[in-house]
Amino acid sequence: MAIDETDQRALTAFGADDPRATQPRWTPDGTAIIYARTDQTGHPRHLYAMAADGTHDGPVATEEDVYTHPVLQPGHEVLTPMG
């Protein structure tokens, strides 16, 4: 999206029974978005990250069943997708 809010486009596209992307947050440097990905029941919730242009989407935290409201702490490196 441009600063004037034009050129908007969806970065995720899931079908009716597919996972959902929720609670997105920009990384402090603006190069990526981290978000919680969940199924239709709300569980599990894993953290995913993608580049600001919607590419390189993948999991970054999946060991626990519930991650929520992702926030990067100042001074930490940007999370990168696993695999």
Side-chain angles (χ1 to χ4, degrees):
M1 170 171 53
I3 197 163
D4 65 358
E5 298 184 9
T6 60
D7 196 27
Q8 295 181 31
R9 65 183 174 99
L11 297 179
T12 59
F14 301 117
D17 295 325
D18 290 338
R20 296 284 182 243
T22 182
Q23 304 164 343
R25 300 283 188 273
W26 283 101
T27 58
D29 64 3
T31 62
I33 300 166
I34 56 176
Y35 66 95
R37 184 173 172 167
T38 184
D39 68 13
Q40 296 294 319
T41 68
H43 294 286
R45 277 183 243 152
H46 298 304
L47 296 187
Y48 276 61
M50 72 173 71
D53 64 1
T55 62
H56 306 295
D57 186 20
V60 294
T62 61
E63 291 181 14
E64 301 294 329
D65 283 342
V66 177
Y67 292 94
T68 184
H69 296 87
V71 176
L72 290 178
Q73 297 298 316
H76 286 59
E77 293 183 29
V78 172
L79 299 172
T80 55
M82 299 184 300

